[in-house]
Amino acid sequence: MKDYKEYTVTEFVLDDSFRRWVLKNLPTDSSFWEKWVLENPSKNESVTQARAFILKMNQTHELLSENELKQAISNLSEARNREEVFVKPLLNRISWWKQAAAAVVVLGVLGAFYTVYQSKISSTVVYEVRKSQLGTQLVEVINDDKVEKLVSLPDGSQVRLSPLSRLSYPKTFTSTVREVYLSGEGFFNVTKNPQKPFLVYANELVTKVLGTSFLIRAFDKADKVEVIVKTGKVAVYSIKEEAIKTPTTELTGTILTPNQQVVFDRKVENMEKTLVSIPTPVLAIAEQTKVGLSFSNTPVEQALDALSQKYSIPIVFDKNILKACEISAEFAEESFYEQLDLICKAIGATYQVVDAQIVIQGKGCSIN
C-alpha cells in the first residue's frame, strides 16, 4: 500500500489511481479516495491543487505550448542528476500531458505554475473539483434563464438561484452535515437544524449556518466573493481554514448577523467584514417597520437603542457623555443612514462604521 500521506501535488498528479478517481470516478477508486480525503484533512490543499491540474490538463491541450513542453523536458533531462529522477523511463511510459506535469513539477515549478495559471482555471473548474467530492449521487441545477429559479433542497431549504448560476447538492444529505456547492449567485433560506450544519462552498469561501437566510455572490470571473446576511447568524471561513473540516454545530470563524456582510478580495486574498450599503429592518420587529420611529424629547440613548434593534445593527456610544442629549423626530421613509445622520446632527455627534458596527462620538449636550 502506497503511503499517500507523504505525497506531494506532483505525486498525486502522476498516480494512476488518483487520476482515475478524478477523471472517471469509478466506484472502487471513489470509495478509497473519498474515505482517504476525509481521514487526511491536512492533505486537502495538495489534493485540491492536483485535481484542478488534472482536470485542466484533460480539458485542454493549450495549457503548455509545444515549445514550452519541449523546453521543460529538456531542462528536466539536464537536471536529472540533481533532482534524482529517472527521466527516460518516466517519459517513455506516460502520455504527453503527464510528461508536462512531470517536467514542470520535477523542476520545482508546479507551485509557481499553479499560481500563474490559476486565473485561467476558472471558478467553474474549482466548482467542478469541489462538487466531485460529494460523490456521484448529485443533483445539479443550472439556471440559463433570465429570471431567478427556485430550488428546493432535500431538507426543505430553498434557494433562489440567479441567472448564469449553478448549484449542486446530494439527493440525500448525510446524517451529520448538509453540503452544497455554488457557482454564481443564490439566496438561501435554510431550514433550521442545530444538529446538522449547512455548508455552502462558493469559490474561496465556505458559509456555515444552522438555519437562516442569506445571499452569496460568487461568480466565476468576479474579483470578489460576497456573503450578505438577511436573518439569523452565519459563520464564514476561508476554504483553507481547518475549522470547517470537522462537522460541528459550533459557529466560529467570521460571524455575521443581519445587515452585515463579508467581502473577500480574490486578488489579495483579504476578507473584510462590514455593513451592507442599504440596511433593511429585521423581520423580528416588523411592526416597527410599518409605523416608523417617533421620538418626542426622548433621551438619545433610547432613540439609538430603538434604531439599533430595528436594524439589528450594534451602535456603540458613551452613555455618560450623551446622557443629557434628547431628540424629537419622526422617521417613516428615511433609510437607516439618513436616520442616523439626523440623530447625530441634532446632538452634534459623528459616527463611523467599524467592524460592521456603528461607533458614535460626541461632546455631549448641555443641561438646560
Side-chain angles (χ1 to χ4, degrees):
M1 173 70 70
K2 299 178 181 178
D3 187 6
Y4 290 112
K5 293 181 180 179
E6 302 299 323
Y7 262 36
T8 62
V9 176
T10 310
E11 292 167 317
F12 280 123
V13 168
L14 297 177
D15 186 84
D16 291 335
S17 173
F18 186 86
R19 289 197 308 276
R20 283 198 308 269
W21 174 50
V22 174
L23 297 174
K24 298 183 178 180
N25 204 22
L26 299 176
T28 303
D29 296 315
S30 298
S31 176
F32 171 80
W33 282 106
E34 288 172 10
K35 180 180 179 182
W36 190 89
V37 169
L38 289 175
E39 293 176 348
N40 296 273
S42 63
K43 303 298 292 185
N44 183 66
E45 186 172 355
S46 295
V47 168
T48 299
Q49 290 189 17
R51 288 179 62 90
F53 186 84
I54 290 171
L55 288 170
K56 189 63 178 179
M57 296 298 286
N58 186 67
Q59 185 182 63
T60 175
H61 287 189
E62 297 177 357
L63 199 53
L64 288 178
S65 69
E66 184 176 353
N67 289 335
E68 289 173 329
L69 176 59
K70 290 180 179 179
Q71 184 61 50
I73 295 175
S74 174
N75 291 340
L76 173 62
S77 299
E78 295 174 2
R80 60 184 175 183
N81 292 331
R82 295 193 305 273
E83 301 296 339
E84 298 180 349
V85 295
F86 299 96
V87 178
K88 290 184 179 179
L90 179 64
L91 299 184
N92 285 336
R93 68 181 177 86
I94 59 179
S95 60
W96 78 269
W97 70 268
K98 296 173 193 173
Q99 293 178 27
V104 173
V105 176
V106 174
L107 287 172
V109 216
L110 183 58
F113 172 86
Y114 184 81
T115 301
V116 170
Y117 282 94
Q118 65 181 350
S119 60
K120 294 184 179 180
I121 302 178
S122 69
S123 298
T124 302
V125 175
V126 176
Y127 166 83
E128 294 290 350
V129 171
R130 290 179 182 163
K131 78 169 186 176
S132 69
Q133 294 178 353
L134 291 175
T136 57
Q137 300 301 312
L138 287 174
V139 176
E140 182 175 39
V141 178
I142 301 175
N143 188 359
D144 291 328
D145 297 330
K146 295 182 179 180
V147 296
E148 290 182 337
K149 178 177 291 187
L150 185 63
V151 182
S152 296
L153 301 180
D155 64 336
S157 299
Q158 292 188 325
V159 183
R160 296 206 307 268
L161 193 63
S162 297
L164 304 178
S165 300
R166 297 196 289 167
L167 182 74
S168 288
Y169 57 92
K171 293 180 179 178
T172 303
F173 288 125
T174 68
S175 59
T176 58
V177 70
R178 298 170 285 174
E179 293 181 308
V180 302
Y181 288 178
L182 172 71
S183 175
E185 178 179 291
F187 182 83
F188 293 77
N189 197 337
V190 177
T191 300
K192 189 172 184 178
N193 186 342
Q195 304 307 315
K196 188 181 292 188
F198 189 99
L199 301 178
V200 183
Y201 292 78
N203 291 346
E204 294 84 355
L205 298 185
V206 181
T207 301
K208 180 178 181 180
V209 304
L210 305 180
T212 185
S213 61
F214 55 96
L215 175 76
I216 297 180
R217 187 175 294 121
F219 283 101
D220 296 350
K221 297 181 181 180
D223 293 334
K224 300 181 186 299
V225 182
E226 299 172 88
V227 179
I228 303 170
V229 177
K230 178 69 174 179
T231 63
K233 179 188 296 185
V234 311
V236 182
Y237 307 86
S238 162
I239 189 64
K240 297 179 181 179
E241 291 186 56
E242 293 287 337
I244 65 170
K245 296 176 182 176
T246 302
T248 173
T249 58
E250 183 181 0
L251 294 181
T252 56
T254 300
I255 303 299
L256 301 179
T257 53
N259 288 317
Q260 295 181 345
Q261 66 179 356
V262 151
V263 179
F264 181 83
D265 190 318
R266 304 176 72 187
K267 292 183 177 179
V268 297
E269 297 188 350
N270 177 64
M271 186 160 58
E272 180 183 12
K273 176 182 176 181
T274 185
L275 293 177
V276 298
S277 58
I278 305 178
T280 57
V282 296
L283 298 179
I285 49 174
E287 66 278 2
Q288 292 190 21
T289 70
K290 296 177 182 178
V291 300
L293 296 175
S294 179
F295 308 111
S296 178
N297 296 322
T298 303
V300 76
E301 177 184 342
Q302 294 181 21
L304 292 174
D305 286 345
L307 188 64
S308 174
Q309 291 176 28
K310 181 173 181 178
Y311 290 89
S312 189
I313 295 176
I315 300 179
V316 180
F317 56 93
D318 191 316
K319 295 181 180 181
N320 289 327
I321 293 178
L322 301 183
K323 64 181 179 181
C325 297
E326 295 182 347
I327 184 173
S328 296
E330 289 190 6
F331 299 123
E333 302 298 327
E334 292 85 357
S335 69
F336 170 78
Y337 286 114
E338 287 173 337
Q339 296 176 64
L340 188 61
D341 285 334
L342 290 171
I343 291 175
C344 287
K345 185 177 181 180
I347 62 174
T350 60
Y351 71 87
Q352 289 181 309
V353 179
V354 181
D355 192 27
Q357 62 184 2
I358 301 296
V359 178
I360 294 180
Q361 295 180 324
K363 296 181 180 180
C365 304
S366 59
I367 302 176
N368 295 329

